[in-house]
Amino acid sequence: MTPMPRLTDRFDLKKADQLLNGMQAIVRLVLMQKARDSAAGLNTAGFVTGYRGSPIATLEAAFALAGERVQDANILFQPAINEDLAATAVWGSQQAELRGEGKFDGVFGVWYGKGPGVDRSGDALRHANHAGTAKHGGVIALMGDDHICESSTSAHQSEFAFVDAMIPILNPSGVQDLIDLGIYGIALSRYAGTWVGIKCVKDNVESTAVVDGTPERIEITLPSDEQFRMPPGGLNIRLNDPPLAKEQRWHDYKRDAIHAFTRANAIDRIVFDGGCSARIGVIASGKSYADARQALEMLGIDEERASRLGLRLYKPALVWPLEPQELKRFATGLQTIIVVEEKRALIEAQVKELLYDLEQRPRVIGKTDETG
């Protein structure tokens, strides 16, 4: 007799296709990361901490539902008194193996906080990111943003705080993307020695979708020496690291490592190539990508019609620092680029800067049209 399905089946890694909301997807994500590490011969642990608030207010309930599955995987979920103490604790998790005294090969960390919590945690986030992450640790930071101020005191947008702290940002466009970019994010964090922000807006983390939760779904490709050559001593956290050396390492190496990893894993992608006569390009990421796709569908524009119209569509997952090589490949031959993004312009300003020196650069339309 087939056993009756249970609500906790959504966290059973042997059952791949599951109906999950965004918070449940994050729980499954950390379980998947532990399983991936075990399959790679690593004895890792996980540490999840932060402070709840819409749109990530139900994360604690999702972890409670998972129950012993999380504990059995050596994952500690510990809500914090506030967001900055949580960030400081996650920073400490990356130091656990520095002197060879840790119980595990590494501890991967997940920090979560609502937009105002991002604001108040700037000091901890900056210092933790400058210090770096462990080779078998890694940290993703979940930025809970309430763009429409539905349950907040301000319509916050966390990307610019992360840019100031030099934390790269990934922007998922749905529940499946949240899991996939979470796996990529931890791998990127380990490789480049940085924290990695994951933007979490209500439309994604409070939505529900059927996802593929197979632990081995994502195959990580590390850049070759030709794509990026690691400096002596690597990029991960180290003892007695002077502050200026940390900053120099980010500018001289970590940015390039982030871009090389992004290219090697094709995290950014051209969705519609627009055919050989493409003249108009659209760039959108995260929720804005879903909005742009919906608008195109309402106009009856699929990939075939986009090719006839000469319309090219680009979906960068890494929204800061924007990867230049794939962007320039996307922009080749275009006359106009339309950047679709919410609130303040993050992608648009980078597009203009990166394409400025091209001999035939396209007009870029974003927060204003071609007439200003």
mmCIF file with all atom_site columns, all heavy atoms in Angstrom, residues 7 25 34 52 54 64 87 99 102 125 131 140 154 178 184 234 245 260 272 370:
data_model
loop_
_atom_site.group_PDB
_atom_site.id
_atom_site.type_symbol
_atom_site.label_atom_id
_atom_site.label_alt_id
_atom_site.label_comp_id
_atom_site.label_asym_id
_atom_site.label_entity_id
_atom_site.label_seq_id
_atom_site.pdbx_PDB_ins_code
_atom_site.Cartn_x
_atom_site.Cartn_y
_atom_site.Cartn_z
_atom_site.occupancy
_atom_site.B_iso_or_equiv
_atom_site.pdbx_formal_charge
_atom_site.auth_seq_id
_atom_site.auth_comp_id
_atom_site.auth_asym_id
_atom_site.auth_atom_id
_atom_site.pdbx_PDB_model_num
ATOM 1   N N   . LEU A 1 7   ? 3.042  16.564 4.707   1.00 0.00 ? 7   LEU A N   1
ATOM 2   C CA  . LEU A 1 7   ? 3.544  17.910 4.453   1.00 0.00 ? 7   LEU A CA  1
ATOM 3   C C   . LEU A 1 7   ? 5.063  17.968 4.521   1.00 0.00 ? 7   LEU A C   1
ATOM 4   O O   . LEU A 1 7   ? 5.697  18.753 3.808   1.00 0.00 ? 7   LEU A O   1
ATOM 5   C CB  . LEU A 1 7   ? 2.931  18.907 5.446   1.00 0.00 ? 7   LEU A CB  1
ATOM 6   C CG  . LEU A 1 7   ? 1.439  19.198 5.272   1.00 0.00 ? 7   LEU A CG  1
ATOM 7   C CD1 . LEU A 1 7   ? 0.959  20.111 6.396   1.00 0.00 ? 7   LEU A CD1 1
ATOM 8   C CD2 . LEU A 1 7   ? 1.156  19.835 3.921   1.00 0.00 ? 7   LEU A CD2 1
ATOM 9   N N   . ALA A 1 25  ? 11.476 26.599 0.226   1.00 0.00 ? 25  ALA A N   1
ATOM 10  C CA  . ALA A 1 25  ? 12.564 26.381 -0.731  1.00 0.00 ? 25  ALA A CA  1
ATOM 11  C C   . ALA A 1 25  ? 13.920 26.658 -0.090  1.00 0.00 ? 25  ALA A C   1
ATOM 12  O O   . ALA A 1 25  ? 14.905 25.972 -0.381  1.00 0.00 ? 25  ALA A O   1
ATOM 13  C CB  . ALA A 1 25  ? 12.367 27.268 -1.960  1.00 0.00 ? 25  ALA A CB  1
ATOM 14  N N   . LYS A 1 34  ? 23.902 20.482 2.082   1.00 0.00 ? 34  LYS A N   1
ATOM 15  C CA  . LYS A 1 34  ? 24.526 19.463 2.935   1.00 0.00 ? 34  LYS A CA  1
ATOM 16  C C   . LYS A 1 34  ? 24.684 18.146 2.179   1.00 0.00 ? 34  LYS A C   1
ATOM 17  O O   . LYS A 1 34  ? 25.739 17.495 2.249   1.00 0.00 ? 34  LYS A O   1
ATOM 18  C CB  . LYS A 1 34  ? 23.676 19.267 4.194   1.00 0.00 ? 34  LYS A CB  1
ATOM 19  C CG  . LYS A 1 34  ? 24.106 18.094 5.061   1.00 0.00 ? 34  LYS A CG  1
ATOM 20  C CD  . LYS A 1 34  ? 25.514 18.261 5.622   1.00 0.00 ? 34  LYS A CD  1
ATOM 21  C CE  . LYS A 1 34  ? 25.862 17.076 6.516   1.00 0.00 ? 34  LYS A CE  1
ATOM 22  N NZ  . LYS A 1 34  ? 27.215 17.199 7.106   1.00 0.00 ? 34  LYS A NZ  1
ATOM 23  N N   . ARG A 1 52  ? 13.514 37.844 11.672  1.00 0.00 ? 52  ARG A N   1
ATOM 24  C CA  . ARG A 1 52  ? 12.366 37.746 10.756  1.00 0.00 ? 52  ARG A CA  1
ATOM 25  C C   . ARG A 1 52  ? 11.711 39.110 10.509  1.00 0.00 ? 52  ARG A C   1
ATOM 26  O O   . ARG A 1 52  ? 11.848 40.034 11.302  1.00 0.00 ? 52  ARG A O   1
ATOM 27  C CB  . ARG A 1 52  ? 11.330 36.783 11.320  1.00 0.00 ? 52  ARG A CB  1
ATOM 28  C CG  . ARG A 1 52  ? 10.659 37.266 12.585  1.00 0.00 ? 52  ARG A CG  1
ATOM 29  C CD  . ARG A 1 52  ? 9.702  36.200 13.116  1.00 0.00 ? 52  ARG A CD  1
ATOM 30  N NE  . ARG A 1 52  ? 9.057  36.639 14.354  1.00 0.00 ? 52  ARG A NE  1
ATOM 31  C CZ  . ARG A 1 52  ? 9.562  36.496 15.559  1.00 0.00 ? 52  ARG A CZ  1
ATOM 32  N NH1 . ARG A 1 52  ? 10.747 35.916 15.696  1.00 0.00 ? 52  ARG A NH1 1
ATOM 33  N NH2 . ARG A 1 52  ? 8.910  36.911 16.633  1.00 0.00 ? 52  ARG A NH2 1
ATOM 34  N N   . SER A 1 54  ? 8.610  40.646 7.308   1.00 0.00 ? 54  SER A N   1
ATOM 35  C CA  . SER A 1 54  ? 8.073  40.515 5.958   1.00 0.00 ? 54  SER A CA  1
ATOM 36  C C   . SER A 1 54  ? 9.074  41.071 4.935   1.00 0.00 ? 54  SER A C   1
ATOM 37  O O   . SER A 1 54  ? 9.660  42.129 5.163   1.00 0.00 ? 54  SER A O   1
ATOM 38  C CB  . SER A 1 54  ? 6.761  41.284 5.851   1.00 0.00 ? 54  SER A CB  1
ATOM 39  O OG  . SER A 1 54  ? 6.282  41.278 4.539   1.00 0.00 ? 54  SER A OG  1
ATOM 40  N N   . ALA A 1 64  ? 10.844 25.055 11.439  1.00 0.00 ? 64  ALA A N   1
ATOM 41  C CA  . ALA A 1 64  ? 10.180 24.255 12.466  1.00 0.00 ? 64  ALA A CA  1
ATOM 42  C C   . ALA A 1 64  ? 9.455  23.071 11.838  1.00 0.00 ? 64  ALA A C   1
ATOM 43  O O   . ALA A 1 64  ? 9.455  21.955 12.386  1.00 0.00 ? 64  ALA A O   1
ATOM 44  C CB  . ALA A 1 64  ? 9.210  25.117 13.258  1.00 0.00 ? 64  ALA A CB  1
ATOM 45  N N   . ALA A 1 87  ? 24.589 38.616 11.757  1.00 0.00 ? 87  ALA A N   1
ATOM 46  C CA  . ALA A 1 87  ? 25.661 38.727 10.764  1.00 0.00 ? 87  ALA A CA  1
ATOM 47  C C   . ALA A 1 87  ? 27.022 38.484 11.408  1.00 0.00 ? 87  ALA A C   1
ATOM 48  O O   . ALA A 1 87  ? 27.901 37.828 10.819  1.00 0.00 ? 87  ALA A O   1
ATOM 49  C CB  . ALA A 1 87  ? 25.622 40.099 10.100  1.00 0.00 ? 87  ALA A CB  1
ATOM 50  N N   . ARG A 1 99  ? 42.138 27.736 12.664  1.00 0.00 ? 99  ARG A N   1
ATOM 51  C CA  . ARG A 1 99  ? 43.261 27.204 13.451  1.00 0.00 ? 99  ARG A CA  1
ATOM 52  C C   . ARG A 1 99  ? 43.234 25.684 13.546  1.00 0.00 ? 99  ARG A C   1
ATOM 53  O O   . ARG A 1 99  ? 43.906 25.089 14.385  1.00 0.00 ? 99  ARG A O   1
ATOM 54  C CB  . ARG A 1 99  ? 43.248 27.817 14.858  1.00 0.00 ? 99  ARG A CB  1
ATOM 55  C CG  . ARG A 1 99  ? 43.603 29.302 14.896  1.00 0.00 ? 99  ARG A CG  1
ATOM 56  C CD  . ARG A 1 99  ? 43.669 29.812 16.330  1.00 0.00 ? 99  ARG A CD  1
ATOM 57  N NE  . ARG A 1 99  ? 44.259 31.150 16.380  1.00 0.00 ? 99  ARG A NE  1
ATOM 58  C CZ  . ARG A 1 99  ? 43.565 32.271 16.257  1.00 0.00 ? 99  ARG A CZ  1
ATOM 59  N NH1 . ARG A 1 99  ? 42.255 32.216 16.037  1.00 0.00 ? 99  ARG A NH1 1
ATOM 60  N NH2 . ARG A 1 99  ? 44.161 33.454 16.334  1.00 0.00 ? 99  ARG A NH2 1
ATOM 61  N N   . GLY A 1 102 ? 38.188 23.192 14.302  1.00 0.00 ? 102 GLY A N   1
ATOM 62  C CA  . GLY A 1 102 ? 36.776 22.964 14.033  1.00 0.00 ? 102 GLY A CA  1
ATOM 63  C C   . GLY A 1 102 ? 36.416 21.493 13.974  1.00 0.00 ? 102 GLY A C   1
ATOM 64  O O   . GLY A 1 102 ? 37.261 20.625 13.709  1.00 0.00 ? 102 GLY A O   1
ATOM 65  N N   . LEU A 1 125 ? 28.107 43.471 8.211   1.00 0.00 ? 125 LEU A N   1
ATOM 66  C CA  . LEU A 1 125 ? 28.158 42.923 6.860   1.00 0.00 ? 125 LEU A CA  1
ATOM 67  C C   . LEU A 1 125 ? 29.453 43.318 6.153   1.00 0.00 ? 125 LEU A C   1
ATOM 68  O O   . LEU A 1 125 ? 30.092 42.499 5.486   1.00 0.00 ? 125 LEU A O   1
ATOM 69  C CB  . LEU A 1 125 ? 26.955 43.408 6.047   1.00 0.00 ? 125 LEU A CB  1
ATOM 70  C CG  . LEU A 1 125 ? 25.581 42.877 6.479   1.00 0.00 ? 125 LEU A CG  1
ATOM 71  C CD1 . LEU A 1 125 ? 24.467 43.605 5.741   1.00 0.00 ? 125 LEU A CD1 1
ATOM 72  C CD2 . LEU A 1 125 ? 25.476 41.371 6.250   1.00 0.00 ? 125 LEU A CD2 1
ATOM 73  N N   . ALA A 1 131 ? 36.492 40.267 5.467   1.00 0.00 ? 131 ALA A N   1
ATOM 74  C CA  . ALA A 1 131 ? 37.287 39.169 6.029   1.00 0.00 ? 131 ALA A CA  1
ATOM 75  C C   . ALA A 1 131 ? 37.260 37.958 5.105   1.00 0.00 ? 131 ALA A C   1
ATOM 76  O O   . ALA A 1 131 ? 38.273 37.279 4.931   1.00 0.00 ? 131 ALA A O   1
ATOM 77  C CB  . ALA A 1 131 ? 36.750 38.795 7.409   1.00 0.00 ? 131 ALA A CB  1
ATOM 78  N N   . ILE A 1 140 ? 25.539 32.917 2.116   1.00 0.00 ? 140 ILE A N   1
ATOM 79  C CA  . ILE A 1 140 ? 24.572 33.676 1.334   1.00 0.00 ? 140 ILE A CA  1
ATOM 80  C C   . ILE A 1 140 ? 23.748 34.524 2.305   1.00 0.00 ? 140 ILE A C   1
ATOM 81  O O   . ILE A 1 140 ? 23.451 34.102 3.423   1.00 0.00 ? 140 ILE A O   1
ATOM 82  C CB  . ILE A 1 140 ? 23.648 32.788 0.472   1.00 0.00 ? 140 ILE A CB  1
ATOM 83  C CG1 . ILE A 1 140 ? 22.920 31.745 1.304   1.00 0.00 ? 140 ILE A CG1 1
ATOM 84  C CG2 . ILE A 1 140 ? 24.440 32.144 -0.650  1.00 0.00 ? 140 ILE A CG2 1
ATOM 85  C CD1 . ILE A 1 140 ? 21.892 30.939 0.514   1.00 0.00 ? 140 ILE A CD1 1
ATOM 86  N N   . SER A 1 154 ? 9.180  51.729 5.423   1.00 0.00 ? 154 SER A N   1
ATOM 87  C CA  . SER A 1 154 ? 9.756  52.365 4.240   1.00 0.00 ? 154 SER A CA  1
ATOM 88  C C   . SER A 1 154 ? 9.789  51.353 3.106   1.00 0.00 ? 154 SER A C   1
ATOM 89  O O   . SER A 1 154 ? 9.864  50.145 3.340   1.00 0.00 ? 154 SER A O   1
ATOM 90  C CB  . SER A 1 154 ? 11.172 52.886 4.515   1.00 0.00 ? 154 SER A CB  1
ATOM 91  O OG  . SER A 1 154 ? 12.055 51.808 4.773   1.00 0.00 ? 154 SER A OG  1
ATOM 92  N N   . LEU A 1 178 ? 15.299 30.648 -6.897  1.00 0.00 ? 178 LEU A N   1
ATOM 93  C CA  . LEU A 1 178 ? 15.779 30.870 -5.534  1.00 0.00 ? 178 LEU A CA  1
ATOM 94  C C   . LEU A 1 178 ? 16.645 29.705 -5.072  1.00 0.00 ? 178 LEU A C   1
ATOM 95  O O   . LEU A 1 178 ? 17.716 29.905 -4.482  1.00 0.00 ? 178 LEU A O   1
ATOM 96  C CB  . LEU A 1 178 ? 14.584 31.057 -4.594  1.00 0.00 ? 178 LEU A CB  1
ATOM 97  C CG  . LEU A 1 178 ? 14.878 31.335 -3.122  1.00 0.00 ? 178 LEU A CG  1
ATOM 98  C CD1 . LEU A 1 178 ? 15.695 32.602 -2.952  1.00 0.00 ? 178 LEU A CD1 1
ATOM 99  C CD2 . LEU A 1 178 ? 13.569 31.427 -2.338  1.00 0.00 ? 178 LEU A CD2 1
ATOM 100 N N   . TYR A 1 184 ? 24.292 28.067 -6.451  1.00 0.00 ? 184 TYR A N   1
ATOM 101 C CA  . TYR A 1 184 ? 25.370 28.807 -7.113  1.00 0.00 ? 184 TYR A CA  1
ATOM 102 C C   . TYR A 1 184 ? 26.005 29.814 -6.153  1.00 0.00 ? 184 TYR A C   1
ATOM 103 O O   . TYR A 1 184 ? 27.222 30.016 -6.150  1.00 0.00 ? 184 TYR A O   1
ATOM 104 C CB  . TYR A 1 184 ? 24.833 29.550 -8.343  1.00 0.00 ? 184 TYR A CB  1
ATOM 105 C CG  . TYR A 1 184 ? 24.658 28.702 -9.577  1.00 0.00 ? 184 TYR A CG  1
ATOM 106 C CD1 . TYR A 1 184 ? 23.420 28.625 -10.216 1.00 0.00 ? 184 TYR A CD1 1
ATOM 107 C CD2 . TYR A 1 184 ? 25.731 27.989 -10.119 1.00 0.00 ? 184 TYR A CD2 1
ATOM 108 C CE1 . TYR A 1 184 ? 23.255 27.862 -11.364 1.00 0.00 ? 184 TYR A CE1 1
ATOM 109 C CE2 . TYR A 1 184 ? 25.563 27.215 -11.260 1.00 0.00 ? 184 TYR A CE2 1
ATOM 110 C CZ  . TYR A 1 184 ? 24.334 27.148 -11.875 1.00 0.00 ? 184 TYR A CZ  1
ATOM 111 O OH  . TYR A 1 184 ? 24.165 26.387 -13.008 1.00 0.00 ? 184 TYR A OH  1
ATOM 112 N N   . GLY A 1 234 ? 45.293 32.234 -2.183  1.00 0.00 ? 234 GLY A N   1
ATOM 113 C CA  . GLY A 1 234 ? 43.863 32.140 -2.461  1.00 0.00 ? 234 GLY A CA  1
ATOM 114 C C   . GLY A 1 234 ? 43.085 33.368 -2.041  1.00 0.00 ? 234 GLY A C   1
ATOM 115 O O   . GLY A 1 234 ? 43.650 34.422 -1.737  1.00 0.00 ? 234 GLY A O   1
ATOM 116 N N   . ALA A 1 245 ? 44.883 45.085 2.861   1.00 0.00 ? 245 ALA A N   1
ATOM 117 C CA  . ALA A 1 245 ? 45.124 43.897 2.032   1.00 0.00 ? 245 ALA A CA  1
ATOM 118 C C   . ALA A 1 245 ? 43.799 43.253 1.648   1.00 0.00 ? 245 ALA A C   1
ATOM 119 O O   . ALA A 1 245 ? 43.637 42.760 0.515   1.00 0.00 ? 245 ALA A O   1
ATOM 120 C CB  . ALA A 1 245 ? 46.008 42.900 2.781   1.00 0.00 ? 245 ALA A CB  1
ATOM 121 N N   . ALA A 1 260 ? 34.471 35.489 -13.487 1.00 0.00 ? 260 ALA A N   1
ATOM 122 C CA  . ALA A 1 260 ? 34.895 34.230 -14.110 1.00 0.00 ? 260 ALA A CA  1
ATOM 123 C C   . ALA A 1 260 ? 33.956 33.091 -13.715 1.00 0.00 ? 260 ALA A C   1
ATOM 124 O O   . ALA A 1 260 ? 33.584 32.254 -14.554 1.00 0.00 ? 260 ALA A O   1
ATOM 125 C CB  . ALA A 1 260 ? 36.331 33.904 -13.697 1.00 0.00 ? 260 ALA A CB  1
ATOM 126 N N   . PHE A 1 272 ? 16.361 35.291 -25.538 1.00 0.00 ? 272 PHE A N   1
ATOM 127 C CA  . PHE A 1 272 ? 16.032 35.401 -26.958 1.00 0.00 ? 272 PHE A CA  1
ATOM 128 C C   . PHE A 1 272 ? 17.217 36.064 -27.639 1.00 0.00 ? 272 PHE A C   1
ATOM 129 O O   . PHE A 1 272 ? 17.659 37.128 -27.214 1.00 0.00 ? 272 PHE A O   1
ATOM 130 C CB  . PHE A 1 272 ? 14.793 36.278 -27.197 1.00 0.00 ? 272 PHE A CB  1
ATOM 131 C CG  . PHE A 1 272 ? 13.526 35.781 -26.573 1.00 0.00 ? 272 PHE A CG  1
ATOM 132 C CD1 . PHE A 1 272 ? 12.446 36.639 -26.393 1.00 0.00 ? 272 PHE A CD1 1
ATOM 133 C CD2 . PHE A 1 272 ? 13.386 34.465 -26.172 1.00 0.00 ? 272 PHE A CD2 1
ATOM 134 C CE1 . PHE A 1 272 ? 11.262 36.207 -25.827 1.00 0.00 ? 272 PHE A CE1 1
ATOM 135 C CE2 . PHE A 1 272 ? 12.213 34.011 -25.597 1.00 0.00 ? 272 PHE A CE2 1
ATOM 136 C CZ  . PHE A 1 272 ? 11.146 34.889 -25.422 1.00 0.00 ? 272 PHE A CZ  1
ATOM 137 N N   . GLU A 1 370 ? 14.102 58.044 -24.326 1.00 0.00 ? 370 GLU A N   1
ATOM 138 C CA  . GLU A 1 370 ? 15.173 58.601 -25.157 1.00 0.00 ? 370 GLU A CA  1
ATOM 139 C C   . GLU A 1 370 ? 15.180 60.133 -25.177 1.00 0.00 ? 370 GLU A C   1
ATOM 140 O O   . GLU A 1 370 ? 16.182 60.763 -25.552 1.00 0.00 ? 370 GLU A O   1
ATOM 141 C CB  . GLU A 1 370 ? 15.086 58.057 -26.583 1.00 0.00 ? 370 GLU A CB  1
ATOM 142 C CG  . GLU A 1 370 ? 13.800 58.403 -27.332 1.00 0.00 ? 370 GLU A CG  1
ATOM 143 C CD  . GLU A 1 370 ? 12.682 57.430 -27.069 1.00 0.00 ? 370 GLU A CD  1
ATOM 144 O OE1 . GLU A 1 370 ? 12.715 56.720 -26.041 1.00 0.00 ? 370 GLU A OE1 1
ATOM 145 O OE2 . GLU A 1 370 ? 11.749 57.365 -27.889 1.00 0.00 ? 370 GLU A OE2 1
#
